[in-house]
Amino acid sequence: MKRLSRKKVFLKYSTTLSDSLARSTYSLYKKVRITLSKFFPLRDYEKDRFEELIWRDGISDAMPLGYDFSTKKNEVGYLNLEYLDFYDYLPKENLDIFKRELKLCVAKNKLAPFGPFRTSKDIDIIDNMGRYVDRMAFSNILVMKLCHNEYLKQYSSQVSISLRNLSASFLVVKYRFHINKEFNEQINIICKTEFSPFTDVSRQFNIPWYQPWKFGRAMFTGNDAREKKLYMLIAELKWEAFAELRRYFTIHFEHNQIFPTTFETYLTNIRPNNAQENRGFWNSVMLGYHPDYAPKYNACVSWEYRHSQNEGMRCAAYCGGDYSDSDHLPGIAKHDLAGIYAVYMVASSINRVAERDIALCNKQISKVIRKSKTAPILKTRVNVEKKLYYSYRFISEFTGGTIDYDDVKAFRSQLYKHGSVSENCLKNISNNTAETKNQIDMLLKILNDAAEYGSAKSNMTLQWFMMIITVLSLVVAIIAMIGSEKPDFKALWDTISGLF
């Protein structure tokens, strides 16, 4: 199994060697061209290209003021990352392995003082997860403090591990990292910093790095600069947390060559409004352009597309806290919002793995079918079934029954007159997996038909070969009899009659 690397996962702002060379050659070309402009005047388009950008409107939006519901007054705004959740799937037959990994992790670290009290008998009862009855809730197994990662000791106080039913033979594993104020101080420094607009070298896909006179410029706002800074900060936290988890646990999504799905839960005192004010700021902190909003929970949920084939799905909730001392639902929602999307995110990621593997298998099948040989076809079928084993098993049994649709009904989105992105995604995931199952069934049927055709073709060839051998044997027998002094035509006739 190839291990994931940070460079393969977080590619949104990564640069290739070709990009670095392009920047260097452009900088050199610009200096030389400006120097020679005394003898060869710059053209109009070159003046525009080389002119330093003065773009005051591109300065990043200031962090808005917050609002205190208890005092009914404005206050300094803040944005804190409360929880960082990683989701992975676990085949129920691997529960014994998971228990051993759990005990090893605890032995290498230490339990949190205020976590759930578990005896050896309680840990052994995890086996009952294979017959889980409460299908729509996480069961918190334990909470521990990581003692051998200096980065996480500084920024994450503890990690909790929970299990939840996913389907008939799969569970969802949730690893929740509780984030410290030291990390949130860095987030808020980024939010309050004024970022200036900037430009970068831009070139079409067919322009090599050594032709800088064909380059253009890409323009970015200060909000883009803030988003990049925050993205890199969160990416580092995610990678350190993931690297620590895989030291002790089998991360099944890594076996599929994708980063585990993550859910970020933020707490803020900055209020949204219908006038869409401060939209630039919210976009710069990765809230997105069309989030779902639930006044009931005082929370927004953002969806983000992945930026590489190895990056996992990311969702984030931005919670405003309780409206009053008597209304605690928003505070409870802050803790539980991630659980609403857990089954969907894991199911969607497994479905994504299946779709990717189907495309890879199609290439193998196309090559082997052209040869029309039974043995390679059967070998390919075995490889396909092996590659798609977990994915096909999951999508064959997943019905969406483990998703709680009631909680998501409180969300609304500007994209839908009734409903939200969340509601539509959660309701459609079972249909999506069913369509993927049909694709896999079609692949297996094609392989079966090809194998049957190859087998029939081989049998037909063998029958023709045996017929030719028989006819040749008969001709030899006739010639032998004719060459003899007294040919036994009665015996010859009996032989012919026996053949036909």
Side-chain angles (χ1 to χ4, degrees):
M1 180 196 72
K2 294 182 180 179
R3 291 172 68 86
L4 290 175
S5 65
R6 180 177 174 178
K7 291 182 179 179
K8 289 183 178 180
V9 175
F10 301 105
L11 293 179
K12 185 174 182 179
Y13 297 104
S14 64
T15 56
T16 63
L17 176 60
S18 178
D19 293 332
S20 299
L21 290 173
R23 289 188 180 124
S24 299
T25 56
Y26 181 79
S27 178
L28 178 61
Y29 167 74
K30 180 180 177 180
K31 292 179 182 178
V32 172
R33 186 68 184 90
I34 292 176
T35 302
L36 295 177
S37 63
K38 299 177 182 179
F39 308 99
F40 305 97
L42 295 176
R43 299 178 181 178
D44 291 339
Y45 73 88
E46 288 180 312
K47 293 178 181 179
D48 293 337
R49 183 186 299 175
F50 295 148
E51 183 181 1
E52 292 297 327
L53 182 66
I54 302 176
W55 188 14
R56 295 303 304 171
D57 292 339
I59 297 295
S60 61
D61 290 311
M63 189 176 191
L65 290 173
Y67 182 78
D68 189 335
F69 287 103
S70 59
T71 63
K72 309 298 182 183
K73 295 180 180 180
N74 292 330
E75 61 181 7
V76 177
Y78 63 81
L79 180 66
N80 295 334
L81 178 60
E82 297 287 298
Y83 311 118
L84 175 60
D85 296 330
F86 289 79
Y87 292 125
D88 192 25
Y89 67 91
L90 174 66
K92 291 181 179 179
E93 65 268 22
N94 292 348
L95 271 170
D96 286 337
I97 299 175
F98 177 76
K99 283 164 50 182
R100 291 197 296 270
E101 294 172 341
L102 196 67
K103 293 177 180 178
L104 174 63
C105 185
V106 172
K108 296 291 184 179
N109 298 279
K110 64 180 181 180
L111 293 174
F114 301 105
F117 182 83
R118 300 290 185 187
T119 64
S120 297
K121 188 175 181 180
D122 293 329
I123 297 299
D124 291 336
I125 291 178
I126 293 177
D127 291 333
N128 291 334
M129 288 290 181
R131 299 179 295 275
Y132 212 56
V133 178
D134 185 5
R135 304 183 302 170
M136 297 181 182
F138 274 105
S139 177
N140 193 4
I141 305 301
L142 54 82
V143 182
M144 62 183 176
K145 303 183 72 172
L146 299 173
C147 302
H148 303 288
N149 189 308
E150 295 301 322
Y151 181 92
L152 293 178
K153 284 172 63 177
Q154 182 180 1
Y155 295 132
S156 178
S157 59
Q158 56 193 24
V159 55
S160 59
I161 303 174
S162 309
L163 292 176
R164 173 176 175 169
N165 199 40
L166 177 62
S167 66
S169 61
F170 288 90
L171 296 170
V172 176
V173 186
K174 180 176 75 173
Y175 304 96
R176 166 165 284 187
F177 288 84
H178 300 251
I179 309 304
N180 284 351
K181 65 178 183 179
E182 287 78 8
F183 187 81
N184 285 315
E185 287 175 358
Q186 295 191 41
I187 291 180
N188 283 277
I189 288 174
I190 294 174
C191 292
K192 295 175 182 178
T193 300
E194 183 181 274
F195 290 87
S196 301
F198 65 98
T199 63
D200 196 3
V201 171
S202 178
R203 58 195 175 101
Q204 292 192 133
F205 67 93
N206 61 332
I207 304 298
W209 60 270
Y210 49 81
Q211 294 181 351
W213 54 90
K214 294 183 179 180
F215 295 172
R217 286 193 306 174
M219 303 171 67
F220 300 93
T221 66
N223 289 332
D224 295 327
R226 175 186 285 145
E227 181 181 359
K228 178 180 179 180
K229 189 77 172 178
L230 186 59
Y231 176 89
M232 299 305 294
L233 179 68
I234 301 296
E236 184 178 8
L237 175 65
K238 287 182 178 180
W239 183 256
E240 289 292 339
F242 167 72
E244 186 67 16
L245 287 177
R246 70 178 181 183
R247 287 180 59 187
Y248 307 105
F249 299 96
T250 301
I251 307 298
H252 289 83
F253 276 129
E254 185 180 20
H255 285 265
N256 300 130
Q257 289 298 293
I258 65 171
F259 195 76
T261 61
T262 57
F263 195 101
E264 304 162 21
T265 302
Y266 294 87
L267 181 63
T268 181
N269 61 350
I270 305 172
R271 296 289 298 156
N273 55 69
N274 293 329
Q276 296 186 352
E277 295 175 2
N278 309 319
R279 185 172 183 177
F281 169 80
W282 285 117
N283 293 336
S284 72
V285 295
M286 300 185 292
L287 176 60
Y289 287 97
H290 300 288
D292 291 339
Y293 177 56
K296 177 180 177 181
Y297 305 136
N298 194 13
C300 292
V301 172
S302 171
W303 301 77
E304 184 174 292
Y305 295 104
R306 61 183 183 274
H307 303 282
S308 73
Q309 62 180 358
N310 300 111
E311 189 171 1
M313 177 183 291
R314 173 199 178 257
C315 283
Y318 296 75
C319 306
D322 293 333
Y323 287 115
S324 64
D325 294 337
S326 59
D327 182 9
H328 301 291
L329 181 59
I332 297 173
K334 179 193 72 172
H335 183 273
D336 295 335
L337 269 177
I340 297 176
Y341 299 88
V343 172
Y344 164 77
M345 295 177 71
V346 174
S348 179
S349 297
I350 297 176
N351 190 59
R352 167 191 164 191
V353 170
E355 291 175 343
R356 181 202 64 193
D357 291 343
I358 287 173
L360 296 175
C361 291
N362 274 327
K363 295 181 181 179
Q364 300 179 17
I365 294 171
S366 299
K367 292 180 180 179
V368 77
I369 284 181
R370 293 192 189 100
K371 299 177 181 179
S372 300
K373 294 182 179 180
T374 305
I377 291 175
L378 293 176
K379 183 178 179 180
T380 301
R381 178 187 169 86
V382 172
N383 292 336
V384 169
E385 290 180 337
K386 183 178 180 181
K387 191 175 188 65
L388 297 173
Y389 174 67
Y390 280 128
S391 301
Y392 185 64
R393 194 178 95 183
F394 170 73
I395 62 181
S396 297
E397 64 189 31
F398 181 71
T399 62
T402 51
I403 298 177
D404 189 354
Y405 299 100
D406 293 335
D407 292 334
V408 82
K409 292 179 180 179
F411 285 97
R412 290 292 180 267
S413 172
Q414 292 181 341
L415 297 177
Y416 299 93
K417 186 176 181 180
H418 301 288
S420 62
V421 176
S422 299
E423 188 173 5
N424 280 272
C425 288
L426 268 61
K427 286 186 176 180
N428 291 331
I429 183 61
S430 57
N431 294 332
N432 294 339
T433 54
E435 291 176 3
T436 305
K437 179 181 181 300
N438 292 336
Q439 295 181 42
I440 297 177
D441 289 336
M442 183 61 68
L443 282 183
L444 298 178
K445 183 179 183 302
I446 290 172
L447 285 171
N448 286 337
D449 293 343
E452 290 179 4
Y453 172 75
S455 178
K457 184 178 179 180
S458 298
N459 291 336
M460 185 69 70
T461 303
L462 181 62
Q463 290 176 7
W464 276 102
F465 179 75
M466 293 304 297
M467 181 178 294
I468 293 172
I469 294 297
T470 302
V471 171
L472 291 176
S473 300
L474 179 60
V475 171
V476 171
I478 292 174
I479 294 173
M481 288 182 181
I482 293 176
S484 63
E485 295 181 356
K486 295 180 180 181
D488 190 352
F489 290 103
K490 184 176 185 305
L492 177 61
W493 177 256
D494 292 341
T495 301
I496 296 173
S497 301
L499 292 174
F500 300 97

